[in-house]
């Protein structure tokens, strides 16, 4: 960048651009893969030059970040976004992106709460997209801010999921309700088996943890078809619509609402789901095990077997009480929650090797809410600090 440009791009200039409304929200539809219904939009920032040219966020977000102007930019964009989104049908959500520095400043929940009040936009319709790299600098502050946002009613989405090494560590600690599979996996899925495996695993993980999964960057019908086969519920990408200005969003909602295609998303057996997920977890700090409704082990990751001290080949088809007799009482105690229709609380377990695991158990149900089994998700707490801090 030459010196002239540098001085022109000063903080005051950018602040002035924000005040004058040079930044506009564009909205990209997120659709249900089953019937292509628009379920919500992601707000993506654009700078509109006086001659009408559109500048991409990759060019100005880093500069804004450097000048500490991201909260100001977000305030301007979210104000416009809330005004647009409150005219949509009530079940439609709005997603906004937040950057690392915004999670460290302690102002974000306050700004969002005030904007929601001012524009009468219910925060239960707001999804906050965060990338896990956003969290590494100051883990505790970031977590506190995300929890505050969640308590205010906002949904939390993990953006670019699968690209970072601590995804799972974060997933278990944050109140996230949505996983967004990074577009790089979608781009390579047709010719790369590893990408398909990761996508399947994230979809399976989303199902077992009862989270929404959105595939990003879907450009072709072939990719959409494969995602449907895998059972991915939602997608976003040029195939369904590019980011558009506010005034065009209503047309899309009207056009979309009458044209449901109704394609069935492939049903998967518990074995398929179990395999999908356990294949992902070669990671030493996480373990997964699937149980049938009768509490028989259907599949388990290598880490799970190692952690409970069983050879991998001996663990399947056994009753879970036989595999971990020390936990039988705990599992019976959990039955109470099931009977009352409550989610199972996470609990800590000391394993034979002396390490402590955080255990989460979820019920796996099919689309008709029929019980397929249980997913036991273990996370080694002794590794936690290592895996989230660089
Ligand atoms: P992101 O959050 O991962 O957003 C998805 C990006 O993929 C967007 O780029 C979108 O236009 C693009 N995209 C959507 N569908 C397709 C597709 O089918 N194919 C391809 N090749 N690309 C697709 P965009 O709008 O240029 O935004 C880039 C990044 O800038 C975003 O990535 C996000 O991290 C950041 N960003 C955008 N708006 C904001 C904002 O208001 N605040 C903050 N902090 N960051 C923002
Ligand atoms: Ca995003
Ligand atoms: Ca993304």
């Amino acid at each position: 960048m030459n010196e002239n440009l540098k001085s022109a791009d000063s903080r005051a200039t950018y602040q002035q651009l924000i005040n004058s409304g040079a930044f506009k929200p564009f909205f990209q539809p997120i659709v249900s893969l089953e019937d292509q219904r628009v379920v919500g939009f992601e707000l993506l920032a654009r700078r509109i030059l006086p001659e009408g040219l559109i500048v991409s966020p990759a060019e100005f977000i880093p500069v804004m970040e450097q000048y500490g102007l991201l909260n100001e930019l977000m305030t301007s964009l979210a104000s416009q976004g809330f005004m647009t989104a409150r005219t949509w049908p009530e079940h439609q959500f709005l997603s906004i992106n937040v950057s690392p520095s915004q999670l460290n400043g302690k102002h974000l929940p306050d700004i969002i709460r005030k904007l929601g009040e001012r524009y009468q936009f219910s925060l239960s319709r707001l999804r906050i997209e965060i990338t896990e790299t956003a969290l590494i600098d100051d883990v505790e502050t970031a977590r506190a801010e995300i929890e505050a946002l969640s308590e205010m009613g906002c949904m939390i989405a993990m953006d670019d999921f699968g690209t970072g090494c601590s995804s799972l560590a974060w997933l278990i600690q944050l109140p996230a309700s949505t996983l967004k599979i990074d577009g790089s996996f979608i781009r390579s899925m047709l010719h790369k088996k590893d990408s398909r495996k990761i996508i399947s695993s994230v979809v399976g993980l989303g199902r077992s943890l009862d989270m929404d999964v959105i595939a990003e960057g879907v450009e072709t019908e072939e990719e959409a078809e494969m995602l449907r086969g895998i059972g991915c519920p939602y997608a976003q990408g040029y195939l369904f619509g590019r980011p558009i200005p506010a005034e065009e969003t209503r047309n899309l909602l009207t056009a979309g609402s009458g044209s449901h295609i109704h394609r069935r998303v492939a049903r998967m057996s518990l074995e398929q789901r179990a395999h999908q997920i356990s294949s992902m977890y070669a990671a030493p700090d996480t373990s997964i095990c699937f149980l049938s409704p009768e509490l028989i082990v259907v599949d388990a990751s290598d880490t799970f077997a190692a952690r409970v001290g069983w050879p991998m080949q001996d663990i399947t088809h056994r009753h879970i009480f036989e595999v971990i007799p020390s936990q039988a009482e705990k599992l019976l105690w959990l039955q109470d929650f099931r009977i009352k229709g409550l989610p199972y609380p996470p609990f800590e377990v000391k394993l034979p090797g002396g390490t402590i695991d955080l255990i989460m158990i979820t019920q796996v149900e099919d689309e008709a809410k029929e019980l397929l089994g249980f997913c036991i998700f273990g996370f080694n707490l002794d590794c936690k600090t290592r895996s989230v801090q660089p």
Side-chain angles (χ1 to χ4, degrees):
M1 203 188 278
N2 71 36
E3 284 309 310
N4 285 344
L5 271 177
K6 234 186 222 169
S7 55
D9 286 352
S10 68
R11 188 180 195 278
T13 313
Y14 272 91
Q15 177 73 67
Q16 174 56 30
L17 283 172
I18 297 173
N19 298 347
S20 67
F23 296 96
K24 292 278 173 214
F26 270 45
F27 301 86
Q28 186 177 33
I30 296 169
V31 304
S32 151
L33 268 170
E34 196 180 4
D35 55 13
Q36 308 217 23
R37 211 168 17 101
V38 176
V39 292
F41 288 89
E42 177 176 0
L43 187 161
L44 294 159
R46 297 288 182 265
R47 177 177 167 190
I48 316 290
L49 297 178
E51 60 272 29
L53 286 176
I54 296 175
V55 183
S56 105
E59 292 193 28
F60 58 82
I61 295 281
V63 188
M64 294 284 197
E65 183 143 34
Q66 192 190 321
Y67 288 137
L69 283 171
L70 281 179
N71 279 348
E72 282 83 348
L73 176 68
M74 192 199 67
T75 303
S76 163
L77 293 170
S79 304
Q80 302 174 67
F82 287 5
M83 277 194 280
T84 303
R86 70 179 183 194
T87 68
W88 302 336
E90 267 194 20
H91 58 275
Q92 249 115 19
F93 66 83
L94 174 71
S95 262
I96 61 170
N97 291 283
V98 305
S99 293
S101 51
Q102 293 176 274
L103 286 167
N104 296 337
K106 299 202 168 98
H107 301 301
L108 191 71
D110 254 5
I111 298 175
I112 302 269
R113 185 187 300 112
K114 287 187 184 133
L115 286 174
E117 281 164 12
R118 183 176 330 153
Y119 296 100
Q120 298 283 295
F121 184 68
S122 163
L123 295 184
S124 63
R125 295 175 66 188
L126 183 66
R127 209 178 281 246
I128 311 271
E129 298 197 3
I130 48 173
T131 48
E132 56 183 308
T133 47
L135 302 165
I136 290 175
D137 283 351
D138 183 350
V139 176
E140 285 313 317
T141 311
R143 185 170 25 198
E145 298 236 326
I146 292 165
E147 265 158 20
L149 288 163
S150 171
E151 275 161 25
M152 282 156 46
C154 303
M155 295 173 276
I156 306 295
M158 311 274 286
D159 207 351
D160 307 333
F161 193 75
T163 54
C165 54
S166 61
S167 303
L168 288 166
W170 274 107
L171 187 59
I172 212 155
Q173 295 176 70
L174 295 177
S177 65
T178 310
L179 302 175
K180 293 193 79 173
I181 307 176
D182 191 57
S184 59
F185 298 114
I186 313 302
R187 261 189 296 287
S188 56
M189 72 186 290
L190 294 174
H191 58 268
K192 236 173 117 183
K193 199 168 161 210
D194 276 354
S195 298
R196 289 198 294 278
K197 224 167 149 181
I198 289 173
I199 295 169
S200 292
S201 304
V202 178
V203 168
L205 187 64
R207 271 175 197 257
S208 60
L209 299 180
D210 199 21
M211 298 171 80
D212 291 337
V213 177
I214 304 172
E216 291 189 299
V218 181
E219 294 186 359
T220 67
E221 188 50 54
E222 226 179 335
E223 291 161 355
E225 201 50 53
M226 189 175 275
L227 287 164
R228 278 187 200 103
I230 290 173
C232 181
Y234 302 105
Q236 175 181 2
Y238 297 162
L239 177 67
F240 307 105
R242 288 181 180 256
I244 47 173
E247 52 282 11
E248 290 174 31
T249 55
R250 280 210 69 84
N251 302 342
L252 204 67
L253 289 171
T254 326
S257 58
S259 58
H260 294 186
I261 295 176
H262 280 300
R263 264 187 243 228
R264 232 174 63 84
V265 174
R267 260 174 192 237
M268 269 180 293
S269 68
L270 179 62
E271 282 82 354
Q272 276 172 305
R273 288 171 206 231
H275 181 68
Q276 278 181 357
I277 301 183
S278 51
S279 63
M280 190 176 173
Y281 298 109
D285 55 351
T286 50
S287 52
I288 276 226
C289 171
F290 273 85
L291 305 179
S292 70
E294 297 74 34
L295 306 186
I296 305 293
V297 176
V298 178
D299 198 357
S301 64
D302 294 348
T303 326
F304 185 89
R307 199 77 112 247
V308 295
W310 278 74
M312 186 61 202
Q313 65 275 14
D314 290 348
I315 199 171
T316 42
H317 309 303
R318 282 185 198 273
H319 197 281
I320 191 67
F321 289 0
E322 193 185 343
V323 177
I324 30 173
S326 64
Q327 295 308 312
E329 215 171 292
K330 196 71 160 214
L331 295 170
L332 284 170
W333 166 72
L334 286 174
Q335 293 275 24
D336 260 9
F337 290 85
R338 172 146 192 241
I339 293 161
K340 292 181 187 144
L342 297 170
Y344 303 123
F347 58 93
E348 289 181 13
V349 164
K350 192 160 186 190
L351 291 166
T355 62
I356 296 181
D357 263 25
L358 179 70
I359 305 290
M360 285 174 32
I361 303 187
T362 51
Q363 254 170 247
V364 186
E365 292 168 342
D366 69 6
E367 291 70 15
K369 294 270 167 213
E370 197 169 304
L371 183 68
L372 290 176
F374 302 90
C375 169
I376 303 182
F377 192 67
F379 181 66
N380 185 352
L381 290 176
D382 303 327
C383 292
K384 183 175 69 180
T385 38
R386 245 184 299 136
S387 62
V388 292
Q389 278 165 10

